[in-house]
Amino acid sequence: MGSAIWFRRDLRVSDNKAVLRALQCGEKPFCVFVVDPKVLSASSSAIRTSYLKAALEELNEELDDNLTLMFGDSAVQLARFVTENGISDLYCSRDVTPLSRLIESQVAEMLRSMGVRVHFVDTPYLVDFDKVLKEDGSPFRVFTPYFKTWIKSALAVEVVRLPRRYEFQSAKLAERRNWGPLDKVVSYSGQFATSSAEIIARLDHFADEILPNYSELRNFPSIDGTSRLSVALKFGRIHPRTIFKRVVDFDPGLRFTSELCWRDFFGSVLYRNPDSPKVALDAKYDAMRWDTGPIAKSRLQAWKSGQTGYPLVDAGMRELLETGYMHNRVRMVVGSFLVKDLHLDWRLGARHFMSHLLDGDVASNIGSWQWIAGCGSDSAPFFRIFNPTLQLQKFDPEGDYLRRFIPELGHLDKKAWASFIRADSAQQDRRLYPRQIVDHNRERREALLRLSELSTIGFVN
DNA sequence: TACCCTTTTCA
DNA sequence: GAAAAGGGT
């Protein structure tokens, strides 16, 4: 009886535990990916769908053209697949979102009832999301103690070594490649690599050239100073193990390594709190007075389209729309602006990010939004409110990032530029660039006021 | 009083 | 994270 690999968010061959375990069965494994309409409608976006298609094409090449694509309900399609190919053992990795977990339980139930062994052998995380626990077995709620425990496990992790030679086999199915709605999608061809060779080349470049100055450079959005591996991680084109092993010895202070840990931390937070995409982890935020109504609606629209009059916010939001990406420093600034300056519900921001980010990942996205809103696990303290003008002066002093995404500022000479980035709304040239839709200092005080109301309510109750 | 640097404080 | 306050020239 044969074995099969069910590919999920692990669209690669190297450092893939499911691939290794299936190969160890002896027979050549079958390979399958299910395009599940439930997943597409719940969490996809046009740009991610196009990357997914390219990633599947790359994966198929890595599998020597042996990947089967099925379209439909995961459990139903996999049941068909194992029956038609005589499969006794299915290998796959687990995922952490509520929908993924539901699908896993449906697949496991269906296949086990058919006598097929289903092996969940890995996760998309460096340390599995259910493995980092306090001494008493309870989960961490604060990052630093999580990190101290996590790093011990992380250092013990080994990259998966595949046998020197291995082969896969093609399924016996009438239709071996049903792309479903992906058929009409154009494969991604943008700045983020889809091929393994390019992704590994990027990792090498990052480790050799960027990592030595990572602590300083990572904050400047005009500089190529971060790993830019989030997209490959999102689709499992690379596993965080591969990254960790390549960088950890060259990362004094573990500044970058701790970013990998934040990814794991937010994974485990979602695992423990499956309703956190909808509900603030800090329950008293249920009482937050978010702005609603027509003015709130138009402010949300201005934020989404990069027309707030705060150039760093606008450059970030336009980068997102144009490229499907945003530098992390700028993500914090625009997130703080939505929640603290516009008093709009963090869930609106999370939804917009998910519909445009190429690296849009439920756990990281929700964890980060709850962090910036101040309502999550170990999130930013209530008083941490970013000043978008000061952030611009600190992190894009020459305006190199701004000019890339706000072309209407291109005409400013150096002197006009210097006064522009310090300017308040009264001094801005409104003909070319929108005036500031709110006054930061005023809204900062308003945010602190509303936050203080929450703690009063919390105290009374 | 302008300015700079450091520390404190923020429900 | 940054405004405000403190401490100095």
Side-chain angles (χ1 to χ4, degrees), chain A residues 299 301-322 326 330 333-334 337 342 388 392 401-402 404-409 420 428 432-437:
Chain A
R299 285 179 177 171
Q301 193 46 45
W303 179 79
K304 286 182 177 177
S305 56
Q307 301 285 340
T308 68
Y310 284 90
L312 186 56
V313 174
D314 293 342
M317 297 309 292
R318 295 184 196 187
E319 179 181 24
L320 176 62
L321 292 183
E322 281 174 36
M326 197 192 303
V330 191
V333 173
V334 305
F337 191 81
L342 301 182
L392 174 61
Y401 176 71
L402 293 194
R404 220 176 282 162
F405 296 104
I406 311 183
E408 63 262 43
L409 297 180
F420 174 80
Q428 280 182 23
L432 294 153
Y433 181 68
R435 64 186 291 183
Q436 296 173 348
I437 57 169

Side-chain angles (χ1 to χ4, degrees), chain A residues 133-139 272:
Chain A
L133 298 166
K134 294 188 214 166
E135 298 260 333
D136 66 2
S138 62
R272 300 285 164 188

Side-chain angles (χ1 to χ4, degrees), chain A residues 259-274:
Chain A
E259 299 301 317
L260 289 175
C261 184
W262 273 104
R263 182 176 177 279
D264 275 28
F265 180 65
F266 284 147
S268 66
V269 168
L270 177 60
Y271 177 72
R272 300 285 164 188
N273 306 276

Side-chain angles (χ1 to χ4, degrees), chain A residues 93 132 207 264 291 346 390 394 422 454:
Chain A
S93 80
V132 182
D264 275 28
D291 278 2
W346 60 270
L390 226 50
K394 278 187 196 164
R422 264 181 293 277
L454 292 184

Side-chain angles (χ1 to χ4, degrees), chain A residues 1 10 18 83 92 172 175 236 239 252 286 295 305 322 325 342 352 361 381 416 434:
Chain A
M1 294 292 271
D10 54 343
T83 306
C92 58
K172 306 166 200 63
E175 191 180 18
H239 195 278
D286 292 341
I295 293 172
S305 56
E322 281 174 36
Y325 185 79
L342 301 182
H352 182 69
D361 166 280

Side-chain angles (χ1 to χ4, degrees), chain A residues 94-254:
Chain A
R94 284 186 295 156
D95 198 3
V96 75
T97 67
L99 178 59
S100 299
R101 290 167 67 182
L102 174 70
I103 289 171
E104 280 159 27
S105 65
Q106 289 170 343
V107 166
E109 191 184 349
M110 172 92 81
L111 297 203
R112 280 167 189 162
S113 76
M114 301 166 66
V116 176
R117 288 180 289 269
V118 181
H119 309 268
F120 292 100
V121 296
D122 202 2
T123 70
Y125 294 96
L126 217 156
V127 183
D128 293 348
F129 44 72
D130 49 358
K131 297 272 165 63
V132 182
L133 298 166
K134 294 188 214 166
E135 298 260 333
D136 66 2
S138 62
F140 289 99
R141 283 170 38 252
V142 179
F143 176 75
T144 305
Y146 177 94
F147 178 77
K148 284 182 181 151
T149 302
W150 174 90
I151 190 72
K152 289 181 217 152
S153 308
L155 287 166
V157 161
E158 293 291 339
V159 168
V160 173
R161 302 246 171 253
L162 298 181
R164 204 163 302 153
R165 295 181 57 227
Y166 50 83
E167 281 180 284
F168 306 97
Q169 65 175 305
S170 284
K172 306 166 200 63
L173 276 180
E175 191 180 18
R176 224 168 49 75
R177 213 149 286 160
N178 184 348
W179 290 93
L182 263 61
D183 196 34
K184 297 181 205 73
V185 170
V186 178
S187 296
Y188 175 80
S189 61
Q191 61 178 317
F192 293 98
T194 57
S195 82
S196 284
E198 286 175 277
I199 290 164
I200 293 301
R202 173 65 198 180
L203 173 59
D204 285 335
H205 174 76
F206 174 71
D208 295 336
E209 309 295 332
I210 299 175
L211 197 54
N213 303 307
Y214 176 74
S215 302
E216 304 87 67
L217 299 187
R218 67 180 197 144
N219 281 312
F220 294 89
S222 66
I223 293 174
D224 182 16
T226 61
S227 75
R228 298 175 78 88
L229 290 166
S230 58
V231 181
L233 277 169
K234 150 73 192 175
F235 291 90
R237 291 290 292 138
I238 193 166
H239 195 278
R241 280 187 296 263
T242 314
I243 302 176
F244 180 87
K245 284 288 174 187
R246 179 69 177 81
V247 302
V248 69
D249 293 335
F250 311 98
D251 188 19
L254 301 176

